[in-house]
Amino acid sequence: PAGGLSTTAMWLAWGCSVIAMASLVPLLILLMDFAHWSSNTELAERLQLSAWGLGSLGMIVVSWQGVIQIAQNTTGIIALPFALIQLLMPLILLAYLIVELVFFVCLYQLWNSAGWAVRNWAEARAVERRQKDKAERMARRPQVPIPENPEPLSKQIAPGPMADIAPIEASPQSEEGNPYDLAP
């Protein structure tokens, strides 16, 4: 029905859609800064492409119904650009859907790299904590004093129990020269 509450709701919905489309651009610029900060230039470029695509194509898609109304209600040279947009609308919609797909892929990649960064940070903190604990344990261990003039090692070691035993003498060889013979 023309008029009344449904027309007001339709205009309100259209205004909310325009505001939502317009606010996606600053969000994408912020996400692009995050991607630049993490040195992911490819992701930043795709986010910039998404910002331009959603900003320009999104406004055309959101205002499509208004373009159709203007094209139907005007004549002559004024209606020509609106009629051209109406003819190109299937291509514009396809391009808009591709840009949205690129946007969602970029969001997934940014989410994935942010998750990796958080896990990496937590692991680095755990390593630092373990190293600090080890350094504290090493600091609490009793230290062995190092003498200023140590004696040579040969004087520090006492002779063992085998030092008093006489060396074994070799048995004489037999007259025939066989080294494997046993002496009587």
Side-chain angles (χ1 to χ4, degrees), residues 15 30 49 62-63 75 111 127 141 153 168 176:
L30 178 69
L49 173 74
V62 166
S63 59
T75 58
W111 168 76
V127 167
R141 273 191 359 191
L153 191 59
I168 300 174
E176 298 155 2

Side-chain angles (χ1 to χ4, degrees), residues 64-129:
W64 182 25
Q65 291 299 322
V67 168
I68 291 173
Q69 290 297 324
I70 293 172
Q72 289 175 351
N73 294 333
T74 57
T75 58
I77 195 80
I78 297 172
L80 186 63
F82 298 107
L84 183 62
I85 290 174
Q86 189 174 359
L87 287 174
L88 294 176
M89 201 60 198
L91 293 176
I92 292 172
L93 279 173
L94 179 65
Y96 178 72
L97 291 176
I98 290 171
V99 168
E100 275 188 345
L101 181 66
V102 169
F103 170 61
F104 288 131
V105 168
C106 289
L107 280 181
Y108 173 75
Q109 288 175 336
L110 195 61
W111 168 76
N112 194 18
S113 64
W116 175 84
V118 169
R119 284 189 306 273
N120 189 25
W121 178 83
E123 289 175 7
R125 293 293 173 244
V127 167
E128 287 176 3
R129 189 173 39 253

Side-chain angles (χ1 to χ4, degrees), residues 171-183:
S171 62
Q173 290 187 355
S174 66
E175 296 166 10
E176 298 155 2
N178 188 351
Y180 298 108
D181 284 342
L182 294 175

Side-chain angles (χ1 to χ4, degrees), residues 144-157:
V144 177
I146 299 174
E148 290 183 19
N149 294 324
E151 292 183 28
L153 191 59
S154 61
K155 290 184 181 179
Q156 290 179 7
I157 299 175

